[in-house]
Amino acid sequence: MQDHFRRFAAYNGWANARLYDAATALKDTERKKDVKGYFRSLHGTLNHLLVADRIWLHRLTGEGEAPTGLDTVLYENFGELRAAREAEDKRIIAYVAGLEATDFGRVIHYGNTRGEAKELPLGVILAHLFNHQTHHRGQASHILRQLGVAEPPALDLLYFALPSA
């Protein structure tokens, strides 16, 4: 499990960087354009991913910011959002790197955003965290195409895992 989640943490940072690289080709007004996505715009979707990761890392570590709303816009400025994303990805990588094999079965008790008490094994939470990222990166990739990016970057894990040619 350690290698599996370390790979996912590294992949997550790689995929986010590729997504943000593609988004830099757009004007700020395009990134914030309401395209009727779940979080309205590309900017809103990218903010949501950061919000969710901060919530989960706060639950897991007791440290950092814990936004209260899943649609909270943490950063209006794209450069600041990207810098925060990069920092959060480093936090995730460091957190996962510090886990021992026995940690993944440890039950984590937390409150969800509605204040309801929940508990799940850490391994399930991490699987959710990375799956959630993938889910919304897929939406962001679709939004990029809607906004005129002819070929959004390939974000599949296989591209990350393949040795460089």
Side-chain angles (χ1 to χ4, degrees):
M1 293 302 283
Q2 285 172 298
D3 288 343
H4 174 75
F5 284 117
R6 285 177 181 156
R7 180 177 299 112
F8 267 102
Y11 160 70
N12 189 63
W14 173 86
N16 284 334
R18 289 175 61 90
L19 186 61
Y20 273 80
D21 285 347
T24 62
L26 300 170
K27 295 176 184 163
D28 197 52
T29 55
E30 294 171 313
R31 285 190 295 267
K32 292 178 179 175
K33 180 180 179 184
D34 187 347
V35 294
K36 309 298 183 225
Y38 196 79
F39 292 94
R40 294 190 207 33
S41 65
L42 178 60
H43 196 86
T45 301
L46 297 175
N47 259 287
H48 168 71
L49 284 170
L50 182 60
V51 163
D53 285 353
R54 284 186 173 178
I55 290 170
W56 277 113
L57 279 178
H58 185 267
R59 290 172 181 164
L60 296 174
T61 68
E63 298 171 358
E65 192 177 337
T68 56
L70 294 175
D71 60 351
T72 301
V73 175
L74 298 171
Y75 299 94
E76 288 289 343
N77 177 279
F78 182 73
E80 292 173 359
L81 178 62
R82 183 176 193 159
R85 172 77 268 163
E86 290 168 356
E88 203 68 19
D89 286 340
K90 288 177 184 171
R91 252 183 100 207
I92 292 168
I93 290 167
Y95 174 75
V96 172
L99 296 173
E100 301 293 331
T102 55
D103 289 328
F104 298 101
R106 183 171 34 98
V107 174
I108 305 295
H109 300 268
Y110 65 93
N112 68 13
T113 57
R114 291 182 295 281
E116 302 163 339
K118 302 289 180 183
E119 61 181 57
L120 284 169
L122 177 59
V124 173
I125 290 171
L126 290 175
H128 166 73
L129 185 144
F130 295 125
N131 186 60
H132 179 260
Q133 281 273 343
T134 299
H135 169 70
H136 286 297
R137 277 193 303 262
Q139 292 174 342
S141 183
H142 178 74
I143 292 170
L144 281 169
R145 187 171 288 271
Q146 286 181 326
L147 295 173
V149 176
E151 194 60 40
L155 301 176
D156 290 338
L157 176 64
L158 294 178
Y159 291 106
F160 170 76
L162 287 170
S164 298

